[in-house]
Amino acid sequence: MSGAEGVPDLEVSDLGVRFGGTAAVSGVSFTLAPGERAGLIGESGCGKSVTALAIMGLLPSGARAEGRVRAAGEPVLNRPDREVARLRGAWMAMMFQEPRTALDPLKRVGRQIALSARAGRAESRARVRELLELVETDPDVARAYPHQLSGGQLQRVLLAVTLARDPRLLICDEPTTALDALVQQRVLALIRRVCAARGTTLLFISHDLAVVSDLCDRVMVMDGGRIVESGRTAQVFDDPAHPRTRALLAAGDLAAFGHRERVPAGTAEAEEERERWP
Ligand SMILES: Nc1ncnc2c1ncn2[C@@H]1O[C@H](COP(=O)(O)OP(=O)(O)OP(=O)(O)O)[C@@H](O)[C@H]1O
């Protein structure tokens, strides 16, 4: 599926989400052009995940959404589940924080990738191999069950599951927080390479500003359910206008920990990943 000329991949206008009498998200508006990579940052509870779930049409039943979300020009909010599911399958995919809960423990990972790809029996083996190669993973991993894999491998498998239907828009919600620093860097570099190679539009949710500065052309800062500042990543981080952005930068100490030079944690898993993915 490809977008019509001039139509943004994602258009969010005046999005509001309430749980009972409480507003979790209010007046959120932004658009993502094809191939753009935007970060959504803010402290815990500010509304990042709820925004992502609204975009994906995956809000819990207690939520009430208003405003407008359009993916590839098609409305998402308050639409029948089946139609939104079709849009998700054809257009957008979301990668969650915890692969151990996102994957089925009882199915081999190759089968999970094949199910997501919806490939026919004949082509599914080749498609699984192709997807595992895309995420730079040994195709033999297809035979493993999730518990047999390391956190970094699981995150790669989850990326393969997520990319199986060639989404134009990829939403990542803190995809690497459970990983140690070295493995995290490798998975993020992989996400960057895959998005660049496929021209995938990315909405990347994180509280790690260094990761966002590394990965995203644009950044939006949320506070209390609203976007309080947005702009080119370098500009917002070099010259933050809003007190919340300044507070986040101070807390993250972005300049001091220079993302690319972060010291690996040196855990067994980091070592294992280093051997496997030199
Ligand atoms: N199912 C729910 N029912 C009621 N309130 C909810 C529900 N899900 C989220 N909220 C509320 O919505 C607000 C925004 O939550 P959200 O999960 O979007 O924050 P977040 O910025 O993603 O935080 P974190 O970085 O911790 O994931 C919070 O006040 C949260 O308590």
Side-chain angles (χ1 to χ4, degrees), residues 110-111 114-115 117-128:
R111 173 134 177 77
L115 284 170
R118 290 194 183 149
R121 194 175 281 256
E123 69 267 29
S124 88
R125 191 180 292 254
R127 183 80 177 114
V128 169

Side-chain angles (χ1 to χ4, degrees), residues 19 24 42-51 60 97 173-174 205 207:
F19 292 98
E43 68 176 18
S44 189
C46 72
K48 306 180 297 293
S49 299
V50 169
T51 301
Q97 225 170 74
D173 191 354
E174 301 272 16
I205 297 174
H207 54 242

